[in-house]
Amino acid sequence: MKVIVFGATGMIGQGVLRECLLASDVEAVLTVGRAPTRQRHAKLREIAHADLSDLTPIAGELSGYDACFFCLGVSSVGMNEADYKRITYDYTLAAARPLAADNPDLTFVFVSGAGTGRGNAMWSRVKKQAEDDVRALPFRAYMFRPGFVQPLHGITSRTRLYRVLYGVFRPLVPVFRRLLRKQFTTTEAMGLAMLNAARGRSTKRVLDSPDINELASAHAV
């Protein structure tokens, strides 16, 4: 497979990129984001692109891929709806639409969130709109809705609040894992599950944390 990872510098994106580089059946990985990951690997090529709402200048670089893992996102805390929608919805569709037009056989995985579409919270409504419009495009689309994601393998969040919280609650992770089984996953499981979705091993198109964990262990490569 040849895969594209959007948002590879974020916590989930770092986990996905790690598993892509380790997978024996992934021959090439392209990362797209506002900043490079600065990693070095024989499989890896990076594009730093400032305006993720318009990928026209790099459109020619996005052809010939089998899967796109869209991990780019931001916390809604302290954000107004317009700014949150620009990142969560506009950036997602700016990538998904040309990829679908160029390759309808591509697999597109969108990292959404637990609780999407429930209630009237701003973030939930915006994510649900992004999910619906991605799923309407002519490719295989999967919505990943993780709850609590534990960073593994030295991965850290770019969000300071999350880094602080992970540090404070790290000793309690085993307890949380038992109490919040249905909301708990890891950066490693996210990456493995996305790869298995691209391999055609998921019977579901919308996956919560238990589905993600189950898919992560399906016929491991």
Side-chain angles (χ1 to χ4, degrees):
M1 290 188 293
K2 296 181 179 180
V3 304
I4 305 174
V5 180
F6 280 81
T9 59
M11 187 182 76
I12 292 176
Q14 291 175 59
V16 172
L17 176 59
R18 177 183 184 274
E19 301 309 318
C20 288
L21 295 177
L22 288 172
S24 61
D25 61 343
V26 174
E27 61 177 283
V29 182
L30 172 67
T31 65
V32 181
R34 286 164 291 190
T37 68
R38 303 194 186 282
Q39 292 195 42
R40 295 292 180 268
H41 195 283
K43 295 182 184 180
L44 180 62
R45 187 165 68 90
E46 301 193 284
I47 295 177
H49 184 67
D51 184 6
L52 295 176
S53 66
D54 180 11
L55 301 183
T56 305
I58 62 169
E61 304 291 327
L62 306 180
S63 297
Y65 287 86
D66 303 294
C68 175
F69 304 142
F70 198 90
C71 309
L72 195 154
V74 66
S75 168
S76 64
V77 176
M79 294 192 75
N80 60 49
E81 184 164 349
D83 288 340
Y84 184 72
K85 184 174 182 291
R86 177 173 54 84
I87 296 172
T88 304
Y89 179 87
D90 294 350
Y91 288 1
T92 304
L93 272 297
R97 284 173 176 147
L99 286 171
D102 181 66
N103 183 4
D105 294 324
L106 178 131
T107 295
F108 190 96
V109 179
F110 172 56
V111 178
S112 184
T116 295
R118 300 173 191 166
N120 199 42
M122 179 270 286
W123 71 266
S124 177
R125 288 187 286 101
V126 173
K127 280 186 177 290
K128 186 62 166 61
Q129 184 182 359
E131 283 190 0
D132 289 347
D133 288 357
V134 167
R135 294 180 71 187
L137 294 170
F139 50 26
R140 284 194 307 163
Y142 296 88
M143 309 296 114
F144 275 40
R145 295 178 175 180
F148 181 88
V149 180
Q150 179 188 5
L152 299 178
H153 309 296
I155 289 169
T156 59
S157 173
R158 294 180 66 190
T159 304
R160 184 176 180 277
L161 174 61
Y162 290 172
R163 291 198 303 271
V164 171
L165 291 175
Y166 284 126
V168 169
F169 291 110
R170 185 176 291 113
L172 299 175
V173 165
V175 177
F176 292 155
R177 189 159 197 156
R178 287 195 301 271
L179 296 178
L180 304 173
R181 255 182 331 120
K182 293 187 176 180
Q183 294 297 324
F184 197 99
T185 189
T186 67
T187 50
E188 180 179 326
M190 289 287 290
L192 292 172
M194 287 190 191
L195 284 168
N196 276 335
R199 294 172 182 134
R201 294 173 182 164
S202 178
T203 59
K204 297 181 177 181
R205 293 301 180 94
V206 179
L207 296 90
D208 295 312
S209 290
D211 306 312
I212 291 167
N213 293 334
E214 181 179 359
L215 182 58
S217 61
H219 308 289
V221 171

